[in-house]
Amino acid sequence: MLKNLKKSDIELYNMINEELDRQRNGIEMIASESFVPLEIMEIQGSILTNKTMEGFPGKRYHAGHQVIDKIETLAIERAKKLFGAEHANIQPHSGSQANQGVYSALIKPGDTILGMKLDHGGHLTHGSPVNFSGKVYNSISYGVNAKTERIDYEEIEKLAKKHKPKIIVAGASSYPRFIDYEKISIIAKNVEAYFLVDMAHVAGLVAAGIHPSPVPYADAVTGTTTKTLAGARGGFILCKNEIAKKINSAVFPGVQGSMHLHIMGAKAYTFKKAMTEEYKSTMKQVAINAKTLAKELDNLGFRIVTGGTDNHIVMVDLRPKKITGKILDEALESVGITVNKNMIPNDPESPMVTSGVRIGTTAMTIKGAKRKEMIEIATLINRVAENIENVKVLENIKGEVKILANRFPLYKGEL
Ligand SMILES: Cc1ncc(COP(=O)(O)O)c(C=O)c1O
C-alpha cells in the first residue's frame, strides 16, 4: 500500500511502519479505537481524494459530479437503512462537526443547551467551557447520581424545567451504561426542547442491535464512523425529514465547505459492512468481552464504576490500588497496553491526573480476542498496577504483551 512512499519519502515511510509495529505488538484498549478493514484504507487512499465537491446530490457547485452523486446517495441510503432513519447527512468531517451542524441548524448563539458534564462522561461538544459549544451557547450540565453513578434523570428534568434549554443532549464518551433515550425525549418534549443524541461511541453497537437505538426518540442523532462502527474516520447526522433541510444547510454551507470524498466512499462501505452477520457477531463479542473484563478487574480488586458495563467501555476506579490514572496509563503504555486516564464521577484528582482509566474492548475484539484473552488482559493490567516501580517485572510483562498481541496478526505482510 505504501510502496511508492517508500521510494519517495523513506523518513515518513519508516514512521508509519513504526506505528504499524506498535499496533501489531501492543494490546489496544482505548475505547474510541478500532482496527478498520483493509477496504477502508483502500477507499480512503483512493482517487476519490482528487475530486472537489460541494453541495448535495442533484445540487452541486462543481462539474463532474455524476459519480460522486451516486456514491453519496449510496452512503446516505445505506446509513438510513442501517439505522432506520428518515434522513442522513454523511458529510460531517468528524463527530464534533456533526454536533456543531446540529446546534447551528436548530438553535442560535446564546441559546441554552443541556448536556452531560464532561467529568461525568459527556463530550467536550456537549457544552464544555473550553469548547465552542460552551462558548457560543449557554451551557447547563447534568451528571450522574453520586450513589449509582448512573445518569440522574430527575436532575435532567429539574434542570430542564428550570433553564428551558433549546436542546437537550444525551450521549457520552465515558459512560458504560445504556441511556434511557425515551425518558429524556419525554423531558425534552415537555419543555419544548429539541432532543439530540450523540451516539458516537455506541453507533456500532446500535447498528448491530446490541444497544438500544436512539433513532425513534431523538430529533437528531449524531455519530462517528470510527469507534465501534470501526470504519471511515468521520461523522454523520441522522434526523427526521421535518428538519432535514435545516440540517443539510447547517452542515454545508453552514459549518463546512467541500466534502472529503475519499472518506465519504469509506463511509458507504462502513454502513454496508455494519449490516453483515459477521460484523454483528463481532459487536456482540465486544459487549461480552467488556463484561468479562469488568468482572475480572473487579475480582482483582479494582472498583468498576457503576459496577459493570452495558457497552464496550469499562470505567475503572483505581483508588483501591492507591494509584492514579496518570500513573497506570503511563505504566501500561510502557509495557504496550494502551488505555486512557479518565475522570471518574466526582473525581478528586485533576483531569491531567485522574483517579481512573477508561478501557474499551472494540479494537482487541476485532483482532479476535475473546473471554480467555480478556481474563489474561485483566491479569496483566493488575500485575502492572501492583508493580508500578518494578522495572524487571514490567519488562517481563512487556514480553508477554507482545506474545499475546501476536496471537492475532494485524494486516498480514508489508503494507
Ligand atoms: C460522544 C462523542 N461525541 C463526539 C466525539 C467527537 O468525535 P471527533 O473526534 O470525530 O470529533 C467523540 C469523540 O471522542 C465522542 O466521544
Side-chain angles (χ1 to χ4, degrees), residues 32 94-97 99 123 125-126 171-173 198 200-201 224 226-227 234:
S32 39
S94 71
S96 299
Q97 284 192 303
N99 287 339
H123 187 253
T125 54
H126 300 176
S173 296
D198 175 351
H201 258 275
T224 57
T226 45
K227 304 188 178 72

Side-chain angles (χ1 to χ4, degrees), residues 55-56 59 61 87-89 91-92 97 100-106 237 239 242-257:
F56 294 92
K59 195 170 175 227
Y61 294 84
H87 176 75
N89 182 309
Q91 294 192 9
Q97 284 192 303
Q100 193 180 13
V102 173
Y103 294 141
S104 50
L106 302 179
I237 303 171
C239 67
E242 216 178 303
I243 56 171
K245 244 181 147 169
K246 277 188 188 172
I247 293 285
N248 276 359
S249 51
V251 174
F252 174 84
V255 298
Q256 288 186 183

Side-chain angles (χ1 to χ4, degrees), residues 42-348:
E42 284 172 0
I43 305 164
Q44 290 185 174
S46 74
I47 51 85
L48 289 175
T49 197
N50 293 335
K51 186 83 191 103
T52 295
M53 191 56 59
E54 290 175 343
F56 294 92
K59 195 170 175 227
R60 298 295 193 187
Y61 294 84
H62 300 85
H65 57 80
Q66 290 78 3
V67 179
I68 300 306
D69 282 5
K70 281 201 282 186
I71 299 175
E72 185 170 5
T73 303
L74 186 68
I76 290 169
E77 291 308 316
R78 286 179 178 176
K80 282 163 58 179
K81 185 171 172 206
L82 178 64
F83 292 109
E86 288 179 16
H87 176 75
N89 182 309
I90 52 84
Q91 294 192 9
H93 298 324
S94 71
S96 299
Q97 284 192 303
N99 287 339
Q100 193 180 13
V102 173
Y103 294 141
S104 50
L106 302 179
I107 60 177
K108 292 190 194 67
D111 281 350
T112 299
I113 61 173
L114 174 59
M116 192 169 182
K117 284 180 195 147
L118 189 61
D119 55 350
H120 284 211
H123 187 253
L124 285 165
T125 54
H126 300 176
S128 162
V130 299
N131 182 263
F132 79 90
S133 57
K135 294 181 186 181
V136 176
Y137 306 106
N138 175 38
S139 163
I140 308 290
S141 304
Y142 60 85
V144 297
N145 176 287
K147 238 191 193 156
T148 62
E149 298 178 311
R150 297 187 185 224
I151 288 175
D152 188 339
Y153 297 96
E154 279 175 22
E155 186 191 20
I156 300 180
E157 187 164 25
K158 244 186 250 162
L159 291 171
K161 281 183 179 157
K162 183 168 172 202
H163 297 283
K164 298 270 182 304
K166 288 277 170 31
I167 289 189
I168 298 180
V169 190
S173 296
S174 49
Y175 183 68
R177 293 299 186 175
F178 290 152
I179 296 174
D180 191 337
Y181 300 126
E182 186 177 13
K183 204 176 246 181
I184 307 179
S185 78
I186 294 167
I187 297 171
K189 214 164 260 150
N190 286 343
V191 296
E192 292 177 20
Y194 285 109
F195 181 34
L196 162 63
V197 174
D198 175 351
M199 65 168 181
H201 258 275
V202 295
L205 298 169
V206 169
I210 313 294
H211 188 289
S213 172
V215 173
Y217 305 109
D219 297 293
V221 175
T222 52
T224 57
T225 38
T226 45
K227 304 188 178 72
T228 48
L229 262 179
R233 183 150 290 277
F236 63 92
I237 303 171
L238 309 171
C239 67
K240 309 251 185 267
N241 278 333
E242 216 178 303
I243 56 171
K245 244 181 147 169
K246 277 188 188 172
I247 293 285
N248 276 359
S249 51
V251 174
F252 174 84
V255 298
Q256 288 186 183
S258 63
M259 298 155 64
H260 290 179
L261 299 172
H262 55 314
I263 302 294
M264 181 190 78
K267 285 175 184 171
Y269 183 82
T270 305
F271 298 132
K272 179 182 162 82
K273 175 96 184 169
M275 289 179 218
T276 63
E277 287 309 314
E278 181 201 349
Y279 175 83
K280 285 181 192 165
S281 93
T282 305
M283 284 302 111
K284 202 169 167 193
Q285 191 65 46
V286 164
I288 292 171
N289 282 353
K291 283 186 176 54
T292 305
L293 186 70
K295 190 160 174 286
E296 288 306 308
L297 289 170
D298 178 60
N299 290 342
L300 291 165
F302 293 90
R303 192 185 76 83
I304 305 303
V305 174
T306 77
T309 177
D310 297 326
N311 55 31
H312 59 302
I313 294 173
V314 182
M315 294 298 299
V316 187
D317 180 352
L318 302 170
R319 286 174 295 180
K321 297 282 182 187
K322 308 222 172 336
I323 49 174
T324 63
K326 180 178 185 322
I327 286 173
L328 184 63
D329 172 328
E330 287 170 3
L332 287 173
E333 187 173 17
S334 77
V335 302
I337 301 176
T338 38
V339 304
N340 64 283
K341 60 175 182 270
N342 212 104
M343 302 286 273
I344 55 169
N346 304 308
D347 201 322

Side-chain angles (χ1 to χ4, degrees), residues 341-357:
K341 60 175 182 270
N342 212 104
M343 302 286 273
I344 55 169
N346 304 308
D347 201 322
E349 300 287 353
S350 73
M352 288 310 289
V353 176
T354 81
S355 299
V357 286

